Amino acid sequence: MKQQENIFVKNLKTLRKKNPQLAERLLDIRVPGYYSVVTARSGHPVLHVMNITFHSMYDPVKEGQHFADYHLKNDDYRPGEKVAVFGLGFGYHLKALVEKNISCIVVEPRIEIVRFAMEHINLEDILAHIEIYTETDIVLESDTRLWPHQPSVKYSKSSFDRLKCLRPVSRTDHTDIHHQSQEKERLKITVVTPIYGGSLPVARYCYAALKKLGHDVELWDASIFEEPFAKALSLDVHDKNKKVLHDLFLHLISEMIVASCTQSPPDLLLALAQAPLSIKALERIKKLKIITAYWFVEDYQLMEYWRTYAPYYDFFFTIQEHGFFEELKKCGLKHCYYLPMAADPQIHRPLVLTESERQEFGSDISFMGAGYYNREKMLQGLLDYNFKIWGTGWNPVSVLWQHVQDCGNRLSTEKTVKVFNASKININLHSSVCHQGINPFGDYLNPRTFEIASCGGFQLVDRRSMLARHFTEDDEIICYASLQELRDKINCYLQKPDERLKIAGRARNRILKEHTYEHRMQELITFIRTHMPEQFFVRKQSIPIIDDVDTFCSRHPEVQSIFKDIDCKDRGVAIDEITAAIQSRSGPLEYQEVLFLLLNEFHAKFRESAA
Amino acid sequence: MKQILIVNLARFGDIFQSLPMIQTIRRQEPDARISLLVNDTFSDVCTLLPGVNDYFKIDFRKVWTNLCEHSACLENAYEYLQGLFSSLRKQKYDRVINITPHYIGIYSSFLAGDESIVGSRMNEWQKYYINITRHWKTISFHLADLFTRIAGCPVEKHVPRLCISKQAHMFARELLCKEGLTANEHLIGFHIGASHAEKQWPLEYFSELGNRILDKIHARIILFGIESEAADGKILEQKLSGNVINVIGKTRVVELAALLSQTHVLVSNDSGPMHVAAACGTKIISIHTGKEKCFSTGPYGSGHIALQPRIACHPCEIPESCPTLMCRAMIGPGLVYSAVAFMLNGTNVSETFDCTHDLQQADVLVSRFDDNGYLDFYPLIKSEITMSVLSNRMLRFLWNKTLSPLSDHNEDNHDLKCYSNALVEQIKKFYLIESCLKLKMQWQNVDACMLDLCDMARQGIALADDIAQVGSRPLQNIKILQQLSERIEALDLKIISRGEALTDFATITHMFNFEKQKLDGTHIKDMVQMTHDIYQRLFTRCNVLHMLGHLFFKGIENLDV
């Protein structure tokens, strides 16, 4: 034990010179009991976690050298190029790189592995030559080579996926050549919104972002059914009948979505949380070879309906990670991916407000959100401030009610943005139905965290375990962990308007750089493309085309007249284009034309039976 | 020698349902060479069809591969079909008859040599068929009879038999002998599968029925089906304590036919094997759920029993997306058992069918040919008549009278009176008259709509005449023509929307709409004449129905209830 401590102290000393913040954080890290060390035949210690052995059980040093040789040779590495290695393990592979004079970035998402490695291996030689990052939300430069340490990838797969997806595509990246060729391909995407609720605007932001990325996007806006749906559910009938009405309504909308997909199949169907798609509909959409993805922008522990639907999607995107991923995998889902919330800078933006708007929407402190249990409790401690509360679901008999604005009505997005802009301090408190105030185990970030920042608003947010992955605390965002801390910070920052402005400015820059819906949608597409390139390929191929019209016409001169009105220079012509050209012609149908019409009928019939 | 090609690219069952048509053509043209063009998957069955000289096949799998799979190649698909049809064209067919209910059949017929099949030149029965496939619920004929009419032949009360080889019969006898079937045992067949889930009677019901049969009747059960149904067959075999002969997935079509011909009664979903059994002369108890109804696809021939759920949504219009499939559960095993017992023993109907609850949920119908030679299904036990059943019979008369060139339309109302009287007699015999009287109110709504449509059709005729007049002037006034066309468009919209109120009779305006959509041509004079004829047909159809309804309800009211 003593020896272990000595190694750690020595390593820490070296690390402190290079990265004092990480060194400080490591002091508070406790390594879980299931982390262990096993000894290889060569006598070297090897990290072992949950049935994963991170290095060779024969000779980890030799294996490390092999790692370095393999990448240097096969990746066509040129001296001076930047390298990022995913996974620290016990560092044998990094030592081999350092011995070859290669400095690199090391991304190790499990900080406990860094601590454990520093307790058991003398890393002094290599710590001087590497930079360790424990966040996976870093964006690697496009010309940085990414070399994965496979056991680490196995243990932290989702983090590796995210790191890859955040990385801009590089022209010199030889490992992803197929991926690159697809990157600029325009996809046909249908975004399905819920009928109502918090994910409805998110669906619209996704739609706008995908359009900006150049895709051919259709918004299937189920919110047009909000009124009749509410009407059906408000009928004074038995619960059983209500359920029948509810199910039939959802069934109808599902069928309409399936019909749209059959008529004009997209490459990808992206459904937002609570989208009205039944299991039967999803099965039929799958038969059309349409890739389905779901972005579950809700707390999986609070809303459990995902269990029913998750197995029917090809991809499941979440705002939470580890525990949730394990649950999803138990459901049989292959591809899940952490995709945090974001902001739309064209909507969530700094505004120049009029004086009357400042009067209406401004205050020293404000809270925007629904009246959840923990908020009712916690915000009662702020009643002595100039405090405005906005949003729905607040208790009219509570002492808070006198602070609730606009009679507790739902605020439009435009007005919300005005509130974020006009408030000196925006209080952000994540919801909970069982805590008195702050949920000490809270992980994900709500959309407001990003939206306030994107508006250039200043916020105080309750500390969440995933916050450090997206913002730098105290620099871009200020956190609190108790009512007292919140009050202290309110008092402090109300006195420092310049400081507020600076922090808010940095937060907005971070949003623009990393946290817009365009970033998220790009990640989403990249992840899907990486994991299902064949399916994308098959769908593209499922629209039959004449690849080379000139050659085809030279072999079949009888069809030349059909193609004369189609601009087919340097490209293939699809059957539906040929059909449209035939239908636009006048006069009696000719034999060759009918042959193409027959082929088109066959194609339509096959597509229909697949549905 | 006359050369005739029949294009039948639909499924297994449709090929067998074309048998009465083939037989009628054969009788009319004993020396003709009759060829079939079929989907390769079902081509085996062609050898069983009497009267067919040879057959050609389209390899659907090959077309699919070249159009939809990873290795898709449109050029290959084009070349394959071009090769196939150029060899068919060389046969120089005198007639090409299409009985495929979609455009694959129509275009194939064109390519095989019948260039008149596309657009407004399509024959009237063919138009009816293509149109009715979009409104399947309102079809008024059995498919086999409809095929015969499409071929331009009269229907005959005749059920042709399949050509089953001696070897196949031998195979069947040996198999049954090996299974220990004795001469005094009844052989009851079950076909548990169907092409779609909504057409499948629940497996547990088959199990309950089987156990009841084995318990009460000296019989053996034989299970038929294809390989994909084998797993269900195994489950059923176990539930029937193994006391069955299971040939699911073990027979070729010809062997299936031979075994079916030895079967006394077949209990079956509406499926291909059911049609094979009908063409073998086997008595059938058919179960029609989902979108199928016995009137259009029931077993062909008289004396079969058909069971249908009594539920407003049957026949279903969206079976693939029905959330409950509850129609399948409405035909109880007790009711089917009664039908089996009745068919085997021919005992008193009311004694045999004592399962009152089941009778409230389902209709028990028996097949027989009507006076005009069309197959129909009548209730075994007098029951209430619905507007859907009544409309089916009225429309059959209507289409039979009007699906011919306008010049052939018989203006004499004698046949109308005769049919009305016959219909009244039918209703009196098979249905509860009180229930028919209750329909009068509904009919009055339909009748008002018919009269409105007659009026609109007259306006259409007048507009077409105006266009003809303006168009014939040396200096055509384009503006007036344009105005007249706009008025026609507006009128058509009114006709179609008024037609929605016809409910069970809406097929009349569907047909009008279909004819309008198919209107094509290059000369204004021809187009105007065709437009005129379409309105004329609408007028005739609505008027005939109006008169038929009037006569019929008068006849019903005159009955001494």
Side-chain angles (χ1 to χ4, degrees):
Chain A
M1 186 62 87
K2 185 86 180 161
Q3 191 194 356
Q4 206 173 310
E5 278 175 23
N6 281 340
I7 296 173
F8 181 67
V9 171
K10 281 182 185 171
N11 282 332
L12 201 66
K13 203 174 159 190
T14 313
L15 180 67
R16 209 168 253 140
K17 289 177 196 158
K18 186 103 179 170
N19 189 342
Q21 284 161 329
L22 178 62
E24 273 323 293
R25 280 175 66 202
L26 284 176
L27 287 171
D28 296 332
I29 297 299
R30 295 180 65 178
V31 178
Y34 52 84
Y35 277 57
S36 62
V37 179
V38 289
T39 309
R41 279 195 190 173
S42 60
H44 293 94
V46 170
L47 171 63
H48 182 87
V49 188
M50 296 171 86
N51 289 331
I52 298 173
T53 310
F54 280 65
H55 302 282
S56 162
M57 285 301 289
Y58 290 91
D59 189 344
V61 174
K62 205 170 171 184
E63 185 200 42
Q65 284 161 354
H66 182 72
F67 173 91
D69 291 341
Y70 173 83
H71 285 290
L72 292 174
K73 189 180 166 196
N74 292 328
D75 208 18
D76 197 20
Y77 172 80
R78 277 171 295 223
E81 283 185 329
K82 291 173 209 156
V83 171
V85 175
F86 183 85
L88 173 68
F90 272 4
Y92 296 106
H93 53 302
L94 301 170
K95 199 166 182 178
L97 287 175
V98 169
E99 280 168 3
K100 292 179 190 295
N101 290 325
I102 295 167
S103 300
C104 59
I105 291 167
V106 177
V107 182
E108 176 47 72
R110 312 266 186 171
I111 193 165
E112 61 272 20
I113 289 185
V114 183
R115 163 97 201 200
F116 202 55
M118 286 181 55
E119 284 175 1
H120 290 87
I121 302 283
N122 188 337
L123 298 170
E124 284 175 287
D125 292 346
I126 61 170
L127 283 173
H129 300 278
I130 63 173
E131 275 180 63
I132 300 176
Y133 288 87
T134 54
E135 303 89 28
T136 48
D137 293 305
I138 60 162
V139 181
L140 298 176
E141 287 174 44
S142 61
D143 54 355
T144 303
R145 291 173 183 279
L146 177 60
W147 293 346
H149 175 238
Q150 287 306 337
S152 302
V153 171
K154 196 172 173 190
Y155 188 49
S156 308
K157 179 137 187 354
S158 62
S159 302
F160 179 65
D161 286 340
R162 185 159 168 75
L163 182 71
K164 275 208 308 181
C165 292
L166 284 170
R167 182 181 180 216
V169 179
S170 152
R171 285 185 180 281
T172 54
D173 192 341
H174 296 271
T175 55
D176 253 337
I177 201 83
H178 178 62
H179 169 191
Q180 275 176 46
S181 64
Q182 290 186 339
E183 198 62 35
K184 283 186 179 166
E185 208 171 285
R186 192 166 185 247
L187 296 176
K188 189 161 186 270
I189 302 170
T190 298
V191 178
V192 182
T193 79
I195 299 175
Y196 53 77
S199 52
L200 176 60
V202 179
R204 292 180 179 143
Y205 303 144
C206 292
Y207 164 75
L210 286 163
K211 267 192 109 100
K212 276 187 219 154
L213 289 171
H215 298 290
D216 174 10
V217 200
E218 188 196 346
L219 185 73
W220 213 103
D221 191 352
S223 70
I224 55 168
F225 295 99
E226 184 176 359
E227 208 181 308
F229 185 62
K231 204 160 199 171
L233 296 191
S234 67
L235 289 176
D236 188 16
V237 292
H238 289 301
D239 284 352
K240 207 175 154 189
N241 292 339
K242 216 169 244 187
K243 175 148 187 353
V244 172
L245 287 172
H246 174 272
D247 291 352
L248 284 173
F249 217 104
L250 292 188
H251 181 67
L252 169 77
I253 303 175
S254 281
E255 280 307 312
M256 290 173 77
I257 297 169
V258 173
S260 305
C261 288
T262 310
Q263 187 64 27
S264 173
D267 301 304
L268 168 69
L269 180 135
L270 171 63
L272 266 290
Q274 311 241 13
L277 270 162
S278 66
I279 289 167
K280 231 173 160 181
L282 285 167
E283 285 174 335
R284 287 167 58 207
I285 289 169
K286 248 185 188 174
K287 280 188 189 163
L288 290 167
K289 291 184 182 162
I290 295 168
I291 295 176
T292 53
Y294 196 81
W295 193 8
F296 185 75
V297 290
E298 308 208 67
D299 185 341
Y300 82 102
Q301 284 163 321
L302 205 64
M303 310 292 272
E304 292 234 355
Y305 68 88
W306 57 267
R307 285 185 196 280
T308 314
Y309 297 98
Y312 296 91
Y313 283 92
D314 296 315
F315 293 90
F316 209 79
F317 294 88
T318 66
I319 56 169
Q320 286 153 299
E321 207 168 10
H322 298 300
F324 194 8
F325 282 10
E326 279 139 31
E327 292 289 323
L328 286 168
K329 284 194 173 138
K330 274 187 215 161
C331 292
L333 199 88
K334 279 191 197 149
H335 306 300
C336 37
Y337 183 84
Y338 169 63
L339 192 70
M341 298 303 307
D344 182 339
Q346 286 202 330
I347 308 269
H348 308 111
R349 63 190 198 281
L351 297 175
V352 178
L353 299 175
T354 62
E355 191 48 42
S356 70
E357 283 174 330
R358 289 208 168 276
Q359 288 289 324
E360 186 183 350
F361 299 109
S363 59
D364 281 354
I365 62 170
S366 73
F367 180 83
M368 164 74 64
Y372 277 90
Y373 174 76
N374 65 323
R375 292 169 176 169
E376 286 269 3
K377 295 283 170 195
M378 177 105 172
L379 299 185
Q380 286 180 25
L382 304 177
L383 298 180
D384 50 331
Y385 290 101
N386 170 12
F387 183 25
K388 285 184 180 172
I389 297 174
W390 305 86
T392 59
W394 296 96
N395 185 356
V397 294
S398 147
V399 288
L400 290 174
W401 188 251
Q402 55 183 311
H403 294 265
V404 174
Q405 307 298 304
D406 200 21
C407 302
N409 286 323
R410 187 181 294 277
L411 224 60
S412 67
T413 305
E414 297 80 55
K415 285 186 178 176
T416 306
V417 170
K418 285 177 185 171
V419 172
F420 292 157
N421 271 275
S423 307
K424 289 180 184 165
I425 296 176
N426 291 280
I427 309 290
N428 188 359
L429 173 60
H430 288 76
S431 61
S432 168
V433 289
C434 55
H435 295 94
Q436 291 286 325
I438 295 165
N439 174 2
F441 310 106
D443 48 9
Y444 68 93
L445 295 184
N446 61 16
R448 238 170 340 266
T449 314
F450 299 95
E451 289 165 3
I452 296 171
S454 182
C455 288
F458 177 79
Q459 68 179 306
L460 293 174
V461 60
D462 52 329
R463 192 168 284 113
R464 310 282 286 183
S465 63
M466 289 170 135
L467 190 120
R469 293 173 61 165
H470 306 292
F471 295 97
T472 309
E473 195 180 331
D474 294 336
D475 185 48
E476 294 167 338
I477 207 157
I478 308 296
C479 300
Y480 61 90
S482 65
L483 176 61
Q484 190 52 53
E485 193 181 356
L486 173 62
R487 287 186 64 91
D488 291 346
K489 288 188 170 167
I490 290 173
N491 295 337
C492 166
Y493 285 103
L494 277 177
Q495 303 308 316
K496 298 179 177 172
D498 292 343
E499 192 67 16
R500 288 201 312 261
L501 265 178
K502 279 181 195 162
I503 293 169
R506 287 193 287 267
R508 179 166 157 80
N509 284 342
R510 184 77 184 258
I511 292 285
L512 298 177
K513 201 173 146 204
E514 292 175 25
H515 302 313
T516 67
Y517 281 101
E518 274 178 77
H519 288 109
R520 299 296 183 254
M521 290 300 102
Q522 183 58 58
E523 264 185 270
L524 178 139
I525 298 287
T526 307
F527 182 73
I528 294 173
R529 274 190 159 136
T530 317
H531 288 81
M532 251 191 188
E534 303 83 12
Q535 195 157 335
F536 267 115
F537 184 63
V538 167
R539 250 211 49 74
K540 292 270 168 231
Q541 284 292 306
S542 72
I543 300 164
I545 59 167
I546 300 278
D547 286 315
D548 181 348
V549 175
D550 288 342
T551 312
F552 183 71
C553 287
S554 66
R555 278 167 54 192
H556 301 280
E558 71 278 6
V559 301
Q560 271 174 0
S561 65
I562 298 174
F563 289 92
K564 77 175 192 308
D565 298 329
I566 306 174
D567 174 22
C568 40
K569 198 170 172 250
D570 302 330
R571 69 178 184 99
V573 180
I575 184 71
D576 40 6
E577 266 182 286
I578 303 170
T579 307
I582 293 168
Q583 282 165 349
S584 68
R585 301 172 82 184
S586 57
L589 282 167
E590 287 168 12
Y591 180 81
Q592 278 73 31
E593 291 176 328
V594 176
L595 256 178
F596 278 112
L597 293 179
L598 176 63
L599 283 164
N600 189 50
E601 278 303 313
F602 265 116
H603 184 242
K605 192 87 190 156
F606 292 148
R607 208 172 63 186
E608 186 188 307
S609 43
Chain B
M1 185 172 64
K2 232 180 185 177
Q3 306 252 40
I4 298 171
L5 177 72
I6 298 166
V7 179
N8 189 352
L9 297 168
R11 299 181 62 82
F12 186 72
D14 297 75
I15 297 179
F16 288 100
Q17 292 191 89
S18 67
L19 203 49
M21 174 194 76
I22 295 168
Q23 289 290 286
T24 314
I25 297 173
R26 174 56 72 208
R27 262 193 293 282
Q28 288 185 347
E29 305 276 359
D31 301 324
R33 176 175 161 231
I34 301 178
S35 309
L36 294 185
L37 177 64
V38 294
N39 177 342
D40 179 47
T41 318
F42 310 117
S43 59
D44 283 358
V45 306
C46 295
T47 55
L48 290 171
L49 306 179
V52 174
N53 295 90
D54 54 5
Y55 63 90
F56 300 90
K57 46 195 184 182
I58 297 185
D59 188 342
F60 272 50
R61 179 70 223 168
K62 193 172 190 166
V63 182
W64 158 265
T65 308
N66 279 310
L67 289 182
C68 297
E69 289 207 334
H70 188 64
S71 55
C73 179
L74 186 54
E75 288 100 320
N76 286 352
Y78 176 87
E79 280 163 11
Y80 166 67
L81 290 177
Q82 194 204 33
L84 174 79
F85 285 108
S86 63
S87 66
L88 278 174
R89 281 219 155 192
K90 282 181 194 147
Q91 309 287 328
K92 298 202 182 308
Y93 289 107
D94 298 292
R95 281 189 72 193
V96 179
I97 302 163
N98 172 49
I99 52 167
T100 315
H102 42 69
Y103 270 78
I104 292 179
I106 290 178
Y107 292 140
S108 297
S109 303
F110 179 103
L111 294 167
D114 179 11
E115 297 193 358
S116 70
I117 197 165
V118 179
S120 55
R121 289 165 297 168
M122 195 188 282
N123 95 35
E124 293 296 314
W125 284 91
Q126 180 90 62
K127 277 186 201 164
Y128 171 78
Y129 183 35
I130 298 288
N131 176 50
I132 208 71
T133 52
R134 300 174 190 178
H135 310 281
W136 194 242
K137 201 170 174 165
T138 52
I139 185 170
S140 308
F141 299 93
H142 191 279
L143 212 50
D145 291 335
L146 183 55
F147 289 163
T148 308
R149 295 314 313 266
I150 288 171
C153 304
V155 288
E156 298 172 355
K157 297 177 186 179
H158 178 71
V159 185
R161 292 276 191 272
L162 296 179
C163 306
I164 303 170
S165 63
K166 277 184 189 165
Q167 291 98 313
H169 276 306
M170 186 82 85
F171 162 85
R173 276 196 290 272
E174 280 175 7
L175 188 141
L176 296 173
C177 183
K178 208 170 122 194
E179 292 287 343
L181 184 80
T182 57
N184 58 351
E185 262 181 315
H186 289 296
L187 185 62
I188 314 289
F190 283 4
H191 178 232
I192 56 175
S195 54
H196 295 93
E198 80 277 357
K199 286 164 68 174
Q200 284 176 16
W201 199 46
L203 195 63
E204 56 271 30
Y205 282 16
F206 268 113
S207 155
E208 202 180 323
L209 170 68
N211 278 319
R212 224 186 257 207
I213 290 172
L214 293 173
D215 193 32
K216 294 186 177 173
I217 301 172
H218 187 46
R220 290 287 295 278
I221 289 171
I222 180 165
L223 305 180
F224 298 108
I226 54 172
E227 216 168 335
S228 60
E229 293 152 10
D232 279 351
K234 270 268 171 279
I235 295 169
L236 186 58
E237 195 179 339
Q238 281 164 7
K239 287 190 173 172
L240 297 177
S241 318
N243 196 11
V244 293
I245 304 165
N246 184 352
V247 293
I248 296 180
K250 296 174 190 162
T251 53
R252 293 179 295 133
V253 183
V254 62
E255 292 159 349
L256 168 76
L259 280 167
L260 281 167
S261 69
Q262 303 281 324
T263 304
H264 296 111
V265 175
L266 174 74
V267 179
S268 175
N269 295 311
D270 189 337
S271 65
M274 178 195 80
H275 295 298
V276 179
C280 291
T282 308
K283 287 292 169 219
I284 296 163
I285 294 165
S286 57
I287 298 165
H288 303 267
T289 55
K291 71 169 189 167
E292 302 305 343
K293 56 177 185 175
C294 61
F295 300 102
S296 53
T297 57
Y300 198 75
S302 59
H304 301 299
I305 292 183
L307 301 164
Q308 294 194 148
R310 194 177 295 163
I311 182 172
C313 59
H314 180 264
C316 182
E317 286 181 289
I318 46 156
E320 63 282 357
S321 55
C322 172
T324 62
L325 296 180
M326 66 194 290
C327 60
R328 304 186 319 158
M330 296 185 77
I331 300 164
L335 186 69
V336 185
Y337 173 77
S338 302
V340 173
F342 176 76
M343 201 159 248
L344 289 174
N345 307 323
T347 46
N348 184 298
V349 175
S350 52
E351 273 176 26
T352 314
F353 288 89
D354 58 352
C355 31
T356 324
H357 174 69
D358 281 353
L359 274 173
Q360 281 170 358
Q361 295 204 85
D363 288 319
V364 184
L365 304 133
V366 180
S367 61
R368 52 180 268 181
F369 289 98
D370 72 9
D371 297 342
N372 296 317
Y374 290 101
L375 187 72
D376 205 343
F377 286 80
Y378 298 94
L380 190 63
I381 301 154
K382 259 195 176 188
S383 60
E384 295 200 346
I385 189 166
T386 60
M387 189 48 110
S388 156
V389 171
L390 182 62
S391 67
N392 196 40
R393 297 208 157 83
M394 291 170 87
L395 285 168
R396 186 180 303 168
F397 171 78
L398 174 82
W399 295 124
N400 201 27
K401 189 176 161 72
T402 62
L403 285 178
S404 51
L406 269 179
S407 54
D408 297 351
H409 285 184
N410 182 4
E411 295 298 325
D412 176 14
N413 286 339
H414 177 68
D415 58 345
L416 229 164
K417 283 176 197 153
C418 290
Y419 188 78
S420 168
N421 290 340
L423 193 54
V424 170
E425 285 307 309
Q426 265 182 28
I427 302 300
K428 192 172 140 192
K429 190 171 171 188
F430 296 107
Y431 295 95
L432 300 166
I433 295 296
E434 298 85 344
S435 66
C436 192
L437 285 169
K438 279 187 211 161
L439 295 181
K440 196 174 174 196
M441 189 84 92
Q442 271 187 58
W443 169 255
Q444 279 168 346
N445 290 336
V446 172
D447 193 42
C449 187
M450 291 293 170
L451 291 173
D452 285 352
L453 287 170
C454 281
D455 191 39
M456 290 182 210
R458 274 194 218 102
Q459 291 174 36
I461 292 166
L463 279 171
D465 290 345
D466 287 350
I467 293 177
Q469 219 174 16
V470 176
S472 65
R473 284 179 205 148
L475 281 172
Q476 293 171 8
N477 190 330
I478 299 295
K479 206 169 173 191
I480 296 177
L481 279 178
Q482 210 171 347
Q483 279 172 354
L484 288 169
S485 314
E486 279 167 12
R487 282 175 63 193
I488 280 204
E489 264 176 45
L491 178 67
D492 289 356
L493 264 178
K494 259 171 80 181
I495 290 173
I496 291 157
S497 73
R498 187 71 179 106
E500 293 309 312
L502 287 171
T503 56
D504 292 304
F505 295 89
T507 177
I508 291 177
T509 43
H510 293 156
M511 188 68 174
F512 165 82
N513 193 25
F514 182 76
E515 287 177 310
K516 275 282 190 161
Q517 283 171 1
K518 291 289 139 214
L519 194 62
D520 60 4
T522 44
H523 298 293
I524 187 165
K525 202 176 157 194
D526 297 342
M527 297 274 284
V528 170
Q529 184 57 48
M530 282 190 273
T531 307
H532 178 283
D533 289 352
I534 292 170
Y535 288 117
Q536 180 63 57
R537 272 195 286 272
L538 176 67
F539 175 81
T540 309
R541 284 166 190 163
C542 292
N543 195 35
V544 166
L545 266 185
H546 161 70
M547 289 192 289
L548 180 61
H550 175 74
L551 290 170
F552 170 72
F553 279 101
K554 206 168 144 193
I556 289 288
E557 280 165 347
N558 288 341
L559 287 175
D560 186 11
V561 178

